[in-house]
Amino acid sequence: MSAAVLEAIERDLARWEWSKHIATRPTTAMEIDAVSLIAEARELRDTDLA
């Protein structure tokens, strides 16, 4: 049981550290939204694979 509790605490700590790191990053203004950018990249990939 103690191993499971320790694992859960370590996971929560890692999430907290990651959230803290992300919160300190500067914002980026993009001319295109991320969804459109990903869709375009997938289309290019699919074209290359065909």
Side-chain angles (χ1 to χ4, degrees), residues 2-50:
S2 63
V5 171
L6 183 57
E7 234 180 90
I9 291 170
E10 288 174 345
R11 252 192 333 266
D12 285 347
L13 180 59
R15 279 190 206 122
W16 177 79
E17 289 173 346
W18 180 250
S19 295
K20 186 178 170 185
H21 172 73
I22 293 297
T24 63
R25 292 180 51 106
T27 57
T28 303
M30 296 175 55
E31 294 179 11
I32 186 170
D33 65 300
V35 173
S36 299
L37 192 59
I38 292 169
E40 183 179 327
R42 286 180 176 163
E43 285 178 27
L44 288 171
R45 179 203 61 203
D46 291 346
T47 300
D48 288 345
L49 292 176

